[in-house]
């Protein structure tokens, strides 16, 4: 993601099966993969997303521990747009990070 490499188990991504990453597991066609990620290597089992790695750390935290926290200094609006890209809902955001 944005040049930063992450290793994630499929069962971790299964926690949100309708999200972009959740759909990636069951995608078997070139066309389908092109709709989900920016580039990929099936031989290396790597998928590239041209997105902010800083925001993705928080997204990945949701998959791993069920909690969504906003990093310090991140624009809430930008982050919500990032969640939309990943197919996740801002309702998962922890109360300490919610801004009204």
């Amino acid at each position: 993601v944005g040049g930063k490499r992450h290793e994630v188990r499929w069962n971790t991504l299964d926690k949100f099966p309708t999200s972009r990453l959740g759909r990636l597991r069951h995608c078997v066609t070139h066309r389908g993969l092109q709709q989900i990620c920016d580039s990929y290597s099936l031989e290396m089992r790597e998928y590239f997303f041209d997105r902010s790695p800083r925001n993705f750390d928080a997204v990945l935290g949701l998959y791993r521990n069920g909690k969504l926290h906003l990093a310090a200094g991140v624009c809430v609006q930008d982050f919500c747009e990032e969640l939309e890209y990943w197919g996740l809902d801002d309702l998962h955001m922890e109360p300490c990070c919610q801004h009204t």
Side-chain angles (χ1 to χ4, degrees):
V1 177
K4 184 176 179 184
R5 185 182 213 154
H6 300 270
E7 289 188 32
V8 184
R9 295 181 179 271
W10 286 120
N11 63 346
T12 300
L13 301 181
D14 287 342
K15 293 176 182 176
F16 297 95
T18 60
S19 69
R20 183 176 293 270
L21 293 175
R23 294 188 335 256
L24 184 62
R25 177 177 190 160
H26 301 289
C27 191
V28 295
T29 66
H30 173 71
R31 183 178 180 87
L33 285 169
Q34 285 183 313
Q35 292 174 342
I36 293 176
C37 57
D38 294 305
S39 186
Y40 64 92
S41 168
L42 292 179
E43 299 80 29
M44 300 292 292
R45 295 180 57 173
E46 292 182 340
Y47 305 91
F48 177 75
F49 299 89
D50 190 14
R51 308 301 289 185
S52 166
R54 181 178 185 190
N55 286 335
F56 187 70
D57 285 338
V59 168
L60 193 53
L62 176 61
Y63 283 92
R64 289 186 169 150
N65 61 39
K67 296 181 180 182
L68 183 60
H69 288 280
L70 199 62
V74 171
C75 172
V76 175
Q77 180 65 35
D78 286 346
F79 188 71
C80 288
E81 290 172 9
E82 194 70 8
L83 289 176
E84 185 177 326
Y85 170 82
W86 292 110
L88 297 167
D89 197 316
D90 61 0
L91 294 175
H92 296 290
M93 198 169 310
E94 292 296 303
C96 60
C97 294
Q98 293 177 356
H99 294 37
T100 56

